[in-house]
Amino acid sequence: MQPTKKEYSDIPGTIVFDADQARMGYGINMFCMSLLKDENRKAFKADEAGYLKAYKLTPEQTEAVLKRQWNRMLELGGNIYFTAKLGATDGLSFQQMAAMMTGVTQQEYADMMLAGGRSPNGNRSKSEWKK
Amino acid sequence: MAKIIAGVATSHVPAIGAALDLGKTQEPYWQRVFAGYEESKKWIEKVKPDVCIVVFNDHATAFSMDIVPTFALGCAAEFEPADEGWGPRPVPTVHGHPELAAHIAQSVITDEFDLTIVNKMEVDHGLTVPLSLMFGQPKEWPCKIIPLAVNVVLFPPPSGNRCFNLGKAIRKAVESFPEDLRVVVFGTGGMSHQISGPRAGLINSDFDKAFLDGMVNDPKKLTAIKHVDYMREAGAEGIEMVMWLIMRGALDEKVHERYRFYTVPASNTAVGHLILENQELAAAAE
């Protein structure tokens, strides 16, 4: 079966959390959800790889979590509201995570936001990012 | 009979709640945001709603990937503020209006809006930040709150048109409730923002300002905006703005714009806010 072409797949730098992503990422997201409980955060921190075994992640997903590859987690089915709970477990704010996902320092990211944020111009289509 | 007197639209940025709770409201960065709500607090104190129906989205707090309801109406007597990983916000328990909520559920389901009924739900910043912005930091919230959670996390959320029509059905339901109640509907979330992936930080003030105008004068036009266009133009998470259309659908066709505020940024997000009055309330205020 060929995957259906999605009209939103042309938006650059954006992984839309749709049914396909959600199916793939169920384990990542439910693992992240478990981190809402303090005892689970402690257990995860004490033995990260061991804790993840209960969530049936693929080897790629496990690696992305252990290495805190935030964009990779999204590509592999994670959703930002869930992965943010892993960020919170690490003591990161949303803005710190955003800086990591966009590949700039937190200060650079904060300055960009203060200056009005990232413009939609030049950021609407993948073709604009290839130039 | 119960009636809807006005609508409030506002962003629900979590960092706003944190700034309030940590006493940072006087810092210049946050002062810029909170100053925009001073008029609104006076307004809501004056109009004294008995009930607020707050349309919001849960951010993987009450709903994990186990159950994802598209529309979930809170019918319980109480909703506790959730622990989102940093401890629950120090805000009062939210008291519902189970009779009106049950009446709305029965009425809109009969009108073919098959929403989910929730009797147990902790409420996250999506609901409590708008309450804090409008009511400040009281010991108890001054009115009953009916939460209406909309899925905007798992694509696709309901369409803007569906949201608008649900708003209409909610109005019909409220207006057939026998008790005299003054009801305000909140539409929360937005405005433009993207917090995920390499394009995070997207802000589109032109889109937002046109959306604010449309909310006042031409909501029908907004109901035609496609999901892909929200995401492309206003950021992946900007799609939350469909929730504002539930509020707008519950109001008169022509409304009075009592107040508008817009600022960039609060953390990662453009903050937009509107107070729209139905004709009757606007006429009484003249």
Side-chain angles (χ1 to χ4, degrees), chain A residues 7-25:
Chain A
E7 56 179 347
Y8 44 83
S9 57
D10 185 49
I11 304 172
T14 303
I15 300 110
V16 175
F17 185 63
D18 62 8
D20 291 327
Q21 291 295 110
R23 194 174 58 247
M24 204 161 58

Side-chain angles (χ1 to χ4, degrees), chain B:
Chain B
M1 302 298 271
K3 61 184 169 193
I4 291 173
I5 57 172
V8 170
T10 179
S11 305
H12 59 216
V13 187
I16 293 177
L20 259 172
D21 302 341
L22 300 171
K24 292 183 182 172
T25 55
Q26 295 309 312
E27 291 179 7
Y29 180 96
W30 288 111
Q31 187 52 36
R32 172 176 51 83
V33 174
F34 290 108
Y37 288 83
E38 284 307 314
E39 283 302 314
S40 315
K41 285 196 272 187
K42 287 181 205 153
W43 173 85
I44 206 152
E45 210 181 314
K46 212 171 115 201
V47 303
K48 286 196 194 336
D50 300 300
V51 181
C52 290
I53 299 170
V54 180
V55 182
F56 77 110
N57 70 285
D58 177 78
H59 303 76
T61 308
F63 302 119
S64 67
M65 287 311 297
D66 280 341
I67 300 176
V68 185
T70 294
F71 296 113
L73 189 71
C75 294
E78 288 184 358
F79 306 91
E80 293 299 335
D83 181 349
E84 298 176 57
W86 298 269
R89 289 194 61 212
V91 293
T93 297
V94 170
H95 292 279
H97 195 303
E99 298 82 7
L100 177 58
H103 174 80
I104 291 172
Q106 186 159 330
S107 176
V108 303
I109 291 170
T110 305
D111 282 342
E112 303 184 342
F113 289 89
D114 314 316
L115 44 72
T116 300
I117 287 154
V118 191
N119 286 310
K120 190 177 175 193
M121 173 169 65
E122 291 188 342
V123 287
D124 72 12
H125 69 267
L127 184 117
T128 61
V129 165
L131 296 184
S132 297
L133 283 169
M134 293 302 292
F135 297 118
Q137 295 171 292
K139 276 214 172 79
E140 292 292 337
W141 301 119
C143 63
K144 301 290 174 69
I145 310 289
I146 298 177
L148 174 59
V150 180
N151 164 48
V152 295
V153 171
L154 173 60
F155 187 90
S159 71
N161 189 53
R162 182 74 175 156
C163 288
F164 189 75
N165 287 328
L166 174 60
K168 285 186 174 185
I170 288 172
R171 177 178 193 159
K172 184 179 155 199
V174 168
E175 289 180 345
S176 62
F177 189 70
E179 197 183 332
D180 285 332
L181 294 172
R182 290 155 64 81
V183 178
V184 170
V185 183
F186 284 37
T188 75
M191 295 189 87
S192 59
H193 68 302
Q194 176 155 336
I195 57 169
S196 59
R199 201 176 72 136
L202 189 111
I203 298 284
N204 188 341
S205 297
D206 292 339
F207 181 96
D208 292 341
K209 286 173 182 168
F211 198 89
L212 290 166
D213 288 341
M215 280 290 290
V216 180
N217 298 315
D218 195 1
K220 267 282 175 197
K221 192 171 138 196
L222 302 183
T223 64
I225 300 174
K226 294 192 326 189
H227 286 342
V228 66
D229 293 322
Y230 277 107
M231 295 191 295
R232 186 188 291 120
E233 295 298 323
E237 282 74 36
I239 204 162
E240 288 177 357
M241 279 184 266
V242 295
M243 293 188 290
W244 289 27
L245 291 168
I246 296 179
M247 175 274 269
R248 189 60 184 86
L251 301 183
D252 292 346
E253 216 172 299
K254 280 196 188 323
V255 291
H256 176 74
E257 180 182 341
R258 175 62 60 194
Y259 185 68
R260 180 190 297 215
F261 173 63
Y262 183 78
T263 189
V264 175
S267 187
N268 300 284
T269 305
V271 173
H273 172 41
L274 279 174
I275 296 176
L276 303 176
E277 294 180 343
N278 271 346
Q279 300 291 331
E280 193 183 322
L281 181 66
E286 295 310 322

